[in-house]
Amino acid sequence: MFVRDRMNANPVTVTRDLPFQEALQLMRENKVRRLPVVDKKGRLVGIVSERDLLYASPSPASSLSVWELQYLLSKIDVGELMTKNVVSVSPNTPIEDAARLMVDNRIGGLPVIDDSRQVVGVITETDIFKTFVEMFGGGESGVRLALKVPERKGVLAALSQAILDLGGNIVSVGSFGYQTPGERELVVKVQGVSQAELVDTLESLGDHVVDAREV
């Protein structure tokens, strides 16, 4: 799965000369928390977040009059508040690499650009989270198994064959590093087989069932 499969392909963008109050209003109207900033040709030049704009808003403790505040705020535009060194991805970036960039840079969204730096989308942590839920079959019924298995070739093939022989259907599968070197944790959701049958069969193969539950 790639960024292009999950991104918002119709992102709201702004130019650097837009007053910051208008940018904040755009965010609220479109229910977004960040806006890519583009030049007149639609090329990415920065990004501004809701937090950037809120930090520029006046404090209630200000001694200025409402007219003075309005005048000063009207002079602040997006270009003064935006981040210029933008972390971005292409539509063909694997979605897990986009997630890694968000984690490493502690950001909640990435502009998606093509080879000419045209903004063609935005992908956010919410998009990633929805993908994670789907990947693990969240909301689908079945037996959820957490298995501790040796880290060697053929383990997943043997597991799949055992479930197939029981007449089961694998809805989702995920693989994680385990606390012990040389072992991995598999999380599998299976339909069409009882929990007891699955546990007995997989334990007989030497796979340690850490957790099993009907969901």
Side-chain angles (χ1 to χ4, degrees):
M1 184 174 290
F2 300 95
V3 165
R4 63 174 181 263
D5 301 314
R6 293 294 173 174
M7 70 182 189
N8 172 12
N10 297 295
V12 180
T13 62
V14 296
T15 55
R16 66 177 78 207
D17 58 353
L18 185 74
F20 98 94
Q21 289 177 306
E22 291 184 32
L24 189 58
Q25 184 62 31
L26 268 178
M27 287 185 184
R28 290 169 177 167
E29 289 174 355
N30 291 277
K31 298 180 181 179
V32 296
R33 289 184 290 176
R34 58 195 58 80
L35 297 169
V37 185
V38 298
D39 62 16
K40 293 180 179 179
K41 295 183 178 181
R43 295 174 299 198
L44 183 69
V45 295
I47 192 166
V48 65
S49 70
E50 182 181 44
R51 182 170 59 181
D52 296 331
L53 301 181
L54 291 176
Y55 279 168
S57 298
S59 165
S62 173
S63 61
L64 296 175
S65 72
V66 65
W67 307 112
E68 290 171 316
L69 284 173
Q70 289 298 326
Y71 173 77
L72 291 174
L73 293 175
S74 68
K75 299 297 182 181
I76 303 174
D77 57 33
V78 166
E80 297 177 64
L81 304 173
M82 71 182 189
T83 297
K84 296 179 182 178
N85 298 320
V86 188
V87 181
S88 61
V89 292
S90 80
N92 297 320
T93 301
I95 200 163
E96 64 271 21
D97 290 346
R100 182 78 261 172
L101 280 172
M102 290 187 202
V103 171
D104 289 346
N105 292 279
R106 298 182 180 182
I107 52 180
L110 298 166
V112 185
I113 59 174
D114 62 17
D115 292 339
S116 62
R117 293 192 63 78
Q118 295 279 329
V119 176
V120 295
V122 170
I123 188 163
T124 69
E125 57 192 355
T126 300
D127 300 319
I128 301 291
F129 191 71
K130 287 179 180 177
T131 303
F132 177 85
V133 171
E134 290 180 24
M135 184 174 66
F136 282 93
E140 295 195 50
S141 61
V143 179
R144 183 187 186 275
L145 299 165
L147 309 166
K148 184 174 68 173
V149 300
E151 195 169 33
R152 65 167 182 257
K153 294 179 181 178
V155 169
L156 189 56
L159 172 68
S160 300
Q161 187 61 54
I163 293 172
L164 176 63
D165 291 343
L166 288 171
N169 175 49
I170 297 176
V171 176
S172 64
V173 60
S175 174
F176 305 89
Y178 204 68
Q179 300 98 321
T180 308
E183 293 182 323
R184 294 194 71 79
E185 181 175 355
L186 298 180
V187 177
V188 185
K189 184 173 284 186
V190 180
Q191 294 176 337
V193 190
S194 72
Q195 178 177 322
E197 283 183 287
L198 283 168
V199 171
D200 289 345
T201 299
L202 297 179
E203 289 280 9
S204 70
L205 291 176
D207 297 330
H208 177 58
V209 179
V210 178
D211 180 77
R213 64 185 68 188
E214 296 273 358
V215 292

